[in-house]
Amino acid sequence: MCDKNCASLALLSILLLSGVLHLEIVKALGSGCKKVERKALLQFRKNLGDPSGRLSSWVGEDCCRWRGEGCNNRTASVIKLKLNNPFRNSIDAYEGDAGHKLGGPISPSLLQLKDLKYLDLSMNNVV
């Protein structure tokens, strides 16, 4: 039979193993959005002018953390892009507004976002 030290060592081993397994599961679930969706978003950004740097957070593997983007917590699919011009208070233009507008063509790469439910590009110069 095992004494107290042996039982403590076995318990410690089980705890360490469960911690390692937990980390591996988290890693296996991914570090954010799906690779195909990240690539689609980067292609979309590549085609846009961004004079005020609103898309500057669009770097790294986890596009679910990028500004203006939202993901489903379970599937990590992109479900929301909210890229409206936040510097516009009304429909009437004011001087200097163009410096905050995203501009350029809307890339067909957005069609790769199969679970996208919400897209707001209002008050920008996208076509």
Side-chain angles (χ1 to χ4, degrees):
M1 279 230 126
C2 203
D3 64 358
K4 285 185 178 183
N5 287 337
C6 183
S8 295
L9 184 59
L11 181 60
L12 181 61
S13 297
I14 290 170
L15 288 173
L16 287 172
L17 182 59
S18 68
V20 169
L21 287 174
H22 175 74
L23 290 174
E24 289 302 314
I25 289 170
V26 168
K27 199 182 328 179
L29 289 175
S31 59
C33 66
K34 298 173 181 177
K35 184 176 181 178
V36 67
E37 294 183 338
R38 182 175 59 251
K39 289 174 81 173
L41 289 168
L42 290 173
Q43 182 62 44
F44 170 68
R45 183 186 77 179
K46 180 180 170 184
N47 293 331
L48 290 179
D50 181 19
S52 63
R54 286 192 289 139
L55 305 180
S56 62
S57 70
W58 287 30
V59 294
E61 296 293 314
D62 189 358
C63 63
C64 291
R65 296 180 183 262
W66 294 353
R67 182 177 177 194
E69 201 220 308
C71 290
N72 180 302
N73 290 334
R74 287 191 331 226
T75 65
S77 294
V78 176
I79 58 172
K80 176 176 143 181
L81 279 178
K82 186 175 182 197
L83 301 173
N84 62 305
N85 184 348
F87 300 102
R88 290 292 299 258
N89 293 328
S90 69
I91 292 180
D92 298 326
Y94 60 88
E95 192 174 326
D97 182 52
H100 300 291
K101 290 182 179 180
L102 299 175
I106 298 175
S107 172
S109 67
L110 289 184
L111 295 173
Q112 297 297 314
L113 306 177
K114 302 295 184 193
D115 295 320
L116 187 66
K117 305 287 186 233
Y118 179 87
L119 176 63
D120 185 355
L121 300 171
S122 61
M123 304 299 184
N124 288 296
N125 284 330
V126 292
V127 291

